[in-house]
Amino acid sequence: MYNKTMEFNKPHIYKRKIVETGKYYIGKHKGGDKYYYGSGKDYKVDLKKYKVIETEILEYVEDISKLNEREIYWLEHFDAVNNPLFYNKTNKSYGPVSQTEQWKKDQSERMKGKSTTQGKTWKVKDASNMVGGGSKGKTWKRSIPTTQETKDKISNSLKGRDNSEWKEKIYTEERNQKLSESLKGREMSEETRLKMKEAAKNRWKNK
């Protein structure tokens, strides 16, 4: 815990000791959150189990942009990664705690025009509510955005295609019955009714 003489609102480097284990954890904090205790994996496991800690402020850091640098200094000072009395698994600093205005500006410039989901994968865990049963268990990957030329080619390739066989597989009587049962008793808002009405009008216009 912090004592009354500690100014936890200031950016600082701390060293915390879990009393029951006698081991320490060194970390950085940009200040403002009195109840932030650190993020080391093994340290957090023991902290949750034993809870009693002692805190020492190793250094207050006036320039927040130097916070990562000062954390590295203290980790290397104690050689925490090789010291059995410490929970730290590295003498490096992780996490952009020192988010200066310049850092934010650089990040903004770096991310311009980039997709935050491009190239990432995710798995559909439960597709029971998706039309046709979805694709439960499949892994999807977001690829590079499709160009307009590619979109036009796909559109032209699908023109005149008979989808009746596909519809018969998807819109089975069993599926329709389940959907009907799931919708029983649901009340539709006036806003939703108007949206559906407008969508239906647009479909008829485009036919």
Side-chain angles (χ1 to χ4, degrees):
M1 296 176 66
Y2 285 104
N3 61 43
K4 293 181 180 180
T5 63
M6 296 181 185
E7 298 183 54
F8 57 85
N9 285 319
K10 290 183 177 182
H12 59 269
I13 307 299
Y14 60 82
K15 182 174 75 169
R16 293 202 172 91
K17 175 184 177 181
I18 297 181
V19 176
E20 284 83 352
T21 65
K23 293 179 67 174
Y24 299 89
Y25 179 79
I26 290 176
K28 60 177 175 281
H29 189 27
K30 61 183 178 180
D33 184 359
K34 185 176 181 178
Y35 301 101
Y36 176 77
Y37 294 115
S39 57
K41 186 176 180 181
D42 293 344
Y43 162 74
K44 287 178 73 175
V45 170
D46 280 354
L47 181 62
K48 186 176 181 180
K49 182 178 180 181
Y50 299 112
K51 299 181 180 180
V52 182
I53 62 173
E54 294 176 353
T55 299
E56 176 187 352
I57 301 296
L58 295 173
E59 177 184 359
Y60 292 106
V61 184
E62 296 298 329
D63 183 355
I64 195 171
S65 67
K66 303 291 185 181
L67 201 57
N68 289 354
E69 179 184 319
R70 297 310 298 168
E71 181 185 24
I72 293 172
Y73 167 82
W74 286 105
L75 287 167
E76 291 180 344
H77 174 77
F78 290 101
D79 192 17
V81 69
N82 296 310
N83 193 329
L85 292 178
F86 284 82
Y87 286 102
N88 300 81
K89 300 296 185 182
T90 177
N91 285 341
K92 296 180 180 179
S93 178
Y94 288 96
V97 173
S98 51
Q99 294 179 2
T100 61
E101 288 305 315
Q102 184 60 46
W103 182 88
K104 292 177 183 178
K105 184 178 179 181
D106 292 342
Q107 284 291 95
S108 178
E109 290 295 325
R110 186 175 67 83
M111 294 303 295
K112 277 183 179 178
K114 291 185 178 181
S115 170
T116 56
T117 58
Q118 184 175 321
K120 292 185 177 180
T121 60
W122 62 94
K123 183 171 284 188
V124 179
K125 292 183 179 180
D126 184 3
S128 58
N129 292 326
M130 297 173 66
V131 175
S135 303
K136 182 177 180 181
K138 286 189 176 180
T139 299
W140 299 85
K141 184 173 182 178
R142 186 178 180 84
S143 59
I144 298 173
T146 308
T147 63
Q148 188 58 47
E149 182 183 359
T150 303
K151 290 179 181 179
D152 291 340
K153 286 182 179 179
I154 294 173
S155 177
N156 291 330
S157 69
L158 294 175
K159 283 181 179 178
R161 182 174 291 186
D162 183 10
N163 294 324
S164 58
E165 183 179 347
W166 174 80
K167 288 181 178 180
E168 287 177 4
K169 290 181 179 179
I170 299 298
Y171 298 103
T172 62
E173 186 61 34
E174 182 183 0
R175 174 262 179 196
N176 293 338
Q177 184 65 32
K178 286 183 178 179
L179 185 59
S180 176
E181 290 294 330
S182 68
L183 294 174
K184 280 183 180 179
R186 288 190 183 182
E187 294 186 6
M188 193 179 298
S189 67
E190 187 60 30
E191 182 183 0
T192 302
R193 291 177 188 276
L194 290 173
K195 286 182 179 179
M196 292 178 67
K197 187 176 180 181
E198 191 63 31
K201 283 182 181 179
N202 293 331
R203 283 199 298 271
W204 281 106
K205 284 180 182 178
N206 295 330
K207 283 190 175 182

